[in-house]
C-alpha cells in the first residue's frame, strides 16, 4: 500500500522552536523535464552520506541569539529509470554504548523508502512499516491518539506525529535530486514571491546560484503559527491562528534567500547552501533580524 503526497516543505525535527520554521520548510520545485531525456544521472546501488547543517542567528529588543546543529542520514539509490528514482533513507550507523543496547523507540521514522517522479511528487513506499513503528513508539511512550499533532517541551520542542507522511517533510532538507540545475533555468523556492533565475558562478567545481525574495505573508503566517505552538507548550491560554495573525498584522516584513548548488562531474547535485535574511519592523519601531544558513552535503561512500 502506498500513499501519494506532494513534495513537502522542510521541517527538521529536534532543532528547537525558532522563527526559522518557514525557512526549514523551504522546497525546491523543478520545472517539467523533457520526457525524451533521462530524468536522473544517479546510479543504482550508489550510497551517500547526506549531512544537513544549520546555523541560526537572531537579534532584536537589545538581545541576540543563535543556534546550530547537524543531522545525518544514509541515502541508498535503489532504482533509477526515465520516470522515477526510488531511494532509501536511514539513520547513519552509530556505535552502541552497550552490548545489549536497544534501539530508541522515538526513532520510528527511518528507514524510509520514497519514490520521486517527474512531477516532483513523492510517494512513501513503506508506509505500512512506518505506521507500525509509529504506533509502537506511541504505545511504548504512553502517548494517546488524542495527543497527535500536539507540541510538548522537554529539553527541546517536539511535536507528536502520527501521520507517516511527515517523514517526507523531514526529508526535504536532505533531498538533492534535481537535474534541472543549469544556467538560465527558472526555479522556485517555497515562501518566495516569484521564480529565481539560475546563474553560473563557478566552473570548477561547477556551481550555480539563484536569488529570491520572500513573501511577507508566508513569513507572517509562520510566525503566527509559532505563537500558537508556544502558547500550547507553555500551557497558556489557547489562542487561535486567526488571533495570532491579527497580533502580527502590523509587522513590516522583508527578506531574501540565496540558494547555491554544487554539481559533480556526472551532473549530480552534491551540495546545496541556502542563505536567508529576514528583517521585521514591529509596531513600536523595534527591528528584528533573523538569518539562517542551511547546508546539505552528499558524500559518495566507497563500495
Amino acid at each position: 500500500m502506498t500513499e501519494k503526497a506532494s513534495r513537502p516543505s522542510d521541517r527538521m525535527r529536534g532543532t528547537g522552536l525558532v522563527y526559522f520554521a518557514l525557512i526549514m520548510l523551504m522546497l525546491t520545485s523543478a520545472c517539467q523535464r523533457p520526457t525524451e531525456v533521462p530524468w536522473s544521472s544517479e546510479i543504482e546501488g550508489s550510497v551517500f552520506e547526506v549531512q544537513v547543517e544549520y546555523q541560526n542567528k537572531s537579534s532584536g529588543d537589545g538581545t541576540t541569539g543563535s543556534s546550530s546543529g547537524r543531522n545525518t542520514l544514509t541515502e541508498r539509490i535503489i532504482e533509477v529509470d526515465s520516470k522515477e528514482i526510488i531511494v532509501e533513507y536511514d539513520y547513519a550507523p552509530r556505535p552502541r554504548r552497550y552490548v545489549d543496547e536497544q534501539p530508541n523507540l522515538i526513532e520510528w521514522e527511518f528507514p524510509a523508502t520514497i519514490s520521486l517522479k517527474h512531477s516532483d511528487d513523492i510517494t512513501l513506499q513503506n508506509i505500512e512499516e512506518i505506521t507500525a513503528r509509529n504506533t509502537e513508539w506511541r504505545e511504548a511512550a504512553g502517548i494517546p491518539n488524542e495527543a497527535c499533532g500536539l507540541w510538548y517541551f522537554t529539553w527541546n520542542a517536539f511535536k507528536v506525529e502520527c501521520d507517516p507522511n511527515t517523514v517526507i517533510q523531514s526529508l526535504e532538507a536532505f533531498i538533492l535530486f534535481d537535474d534541472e540545475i543549469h544556467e538560465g533555468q527558472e526555479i522556485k523556492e517555497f515562501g518566495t514571491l516569484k521564480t529565481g533565475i539560475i546563474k553560473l558562478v563557478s566552473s570548477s567545481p561547477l556551481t550555480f546560484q539563484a536569488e529570491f525574495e520572500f513573501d511577507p505573508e508566508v513569513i507572517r503566517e509562520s510566525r503566527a503559527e509559532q505563537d500558537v505552538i508556544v502558547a500550547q507548550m507553555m500551557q497558556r491560554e489557547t489562542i487561535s491562528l486567526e488571533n495570532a495573525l491579527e497580533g502580527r498584522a502590523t509587522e513590516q516584513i522583508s527578506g531574501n534567500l540565496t540558494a547555491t548548488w554544487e554539481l559533480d562531474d556526472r551532473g549530480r547535485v552534491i551540495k546545496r547552501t541556502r542563505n536567508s535574511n529576514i528583517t521585521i519592523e514591529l509596531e513600536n519601531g523595534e527591528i528584528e533580524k533573523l538569518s539562517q544558513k542551511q547546508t546539505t552535503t552528499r558524500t559518495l561512500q566507497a563500495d
Side-chain angles (χ1 to χ4, degrees), residues 19 28 42 46 53 81 93 96 100 108 112 119 124 167 174 181 202 215 223 231 261-262 286 301:
Y19 283 130
T28 302
E42 301 295 335
S46 298
E53 296 182 90
D81 61 28
R96 291 188 177 185
D100 59 348
W108 56 269
S119 59
L124 192 59
V167 173
F174 292 86
I181 302 298
S202 174
D215 183 344
R223 285 166 64 82
W261 300 266
E262 181 179 322
E286 293 180 358
Q301 303 299 287

Side-chain angles (χ1 to χ4, degrees), residues 49-298:
E49 179 183 85
V50 186
Q51 187 174 93
V52 176
E53 296 182 90
Y54 65 90
Q55 296 175 325
N56 301 323
K57 294 182 180 180
S58 63
S59 65
D61 193 22
T63 63
T64 61
S66 64
S67 63
S68 62
R70 176 185 302 138
N71 296 277
T72 304
L73 293 177
T74 297
E75 174 189 88
R76 186 181 305 276
I77 311 299
I78 297 175
E79 184 178 332
V80 179
D81 61 28
S82 61
K83 296 182 179 180
E84 69 177 342
I85 308 172
I86 297 179
V87 190
E88 180 192 74
Y89 289 92
D90 200 356
Y91 294 109
R94 294 173 296 186
R96 291 188 177 185
R97 292 173 295 176
Y98 312 103
V99 174
D100 59 348
E101 183 178 8
Q102 298 297 313
N104 189 338
L105 283 177
I106 200 171
E107 298 178 347
W108 56 269
E109 299 146 298
F110 302 105
T113 303
I114 64 169
S115 167
L116 184 67
K117 297 186 178 181
H118 278 254
S119 59
D120 293 326
D121 287 339
I122 293 179
T123 301
L124 192 59
Q125 299 289 287
N126 60 335
I127 191 169
E128 293 182 353
E129 175 188 335
I130 293 174
T131 299
R133 290 200 303 262
N134 177 275
T135 301
E136 181 184 4
W137 162 62
R138 287 189 287 113
E139 289 177 350
I143 300 174
N145 292 337
E146 294 76 17
C148 293
L150 298 180
W151 287 81
Y152 64 97
F153 188 85
T154 54
W155 59 273
N156 210 333
F158 295 93
K159 185 179 182 182
V160 178
E161 297 287 9
C162 302
D163 179 2
N165 278 307
T166 57
V167 173
I168 298 177
Q169 298 172 343
S170 299
L171 282 173
E172 191 280 325
F174 292 86
I175 296 174
L176 292 186
F177 307 123
D178 200 331
D179 281 9
E180 287 295 314
I181 302 298
H182 55 78
E183 190 167 22
Q185 177 68 39
E186 292 188 2
I187 197 165
K188 186 72 169 65
E189 285 276 347
F190 175 80
T192 59
L193 289 171
K194 58 184 180 180
T195 57
I197 305 298
I198 295 177
K199 299 179 180 179
L200 177 68
V201 294
S202 174
S203 56
S204 183
L206 192 59
T207 307
F208 298 91
Q209 190 173 90
E211 297 183 352
F212 308 85
E213 180 182 354
F214 281 121
D215 183 344
E217 296 309 314
V218 175
I219 297 175
R220 193 187 320 279
E221 183 172 351
S222 177
R223 285 166 64 82
E225 289 173 349
Q226 298 306 306
D227 293 338
V228 174
I229 292 168
V230 169
Q232 180 188 117
M233 290 194 309
M234 305 305 288
Q235 298 182 342
R236 300 172 183 167
E237 182 179 353
T238 302
I239 62 174
S240 67
L241 178 60
E242 181 180 0
N243 289 338
L245 282 169
E246 289 180 1
R248 299 282 184 182
T250 60
E251 295 180 344
Q252 301 299 309
I253 302 171
S254 62
N256 59 77
L257 164 71
T258 300
T260 305
W261 300 266
E262 181 179 322
L263 280 59
D264 66 7
D265 55 5
R266 286 189 57 87
R268 298 176 294 195
V269 180
I270 57 172
K271 185 176 182 179
R272 178 185 61 210
T273 303
R274 289 164 165 164
N275 283 294
S276 57
N277 293 281
I278 298 172
T279 299
I280 302 161
E281 183 177 350
L282 306 181
E283 187 175 15
N284 61 7
E286 293 180 358
I287 302 294
E288 290 185 17
K289 291 185 178 293
L290 314 172
S291 65
Q292 182 190 66
K293 180 179 181 180
Q294 182 198 81
T295 304
T296 303
T297 307
R298 299 173 78 206

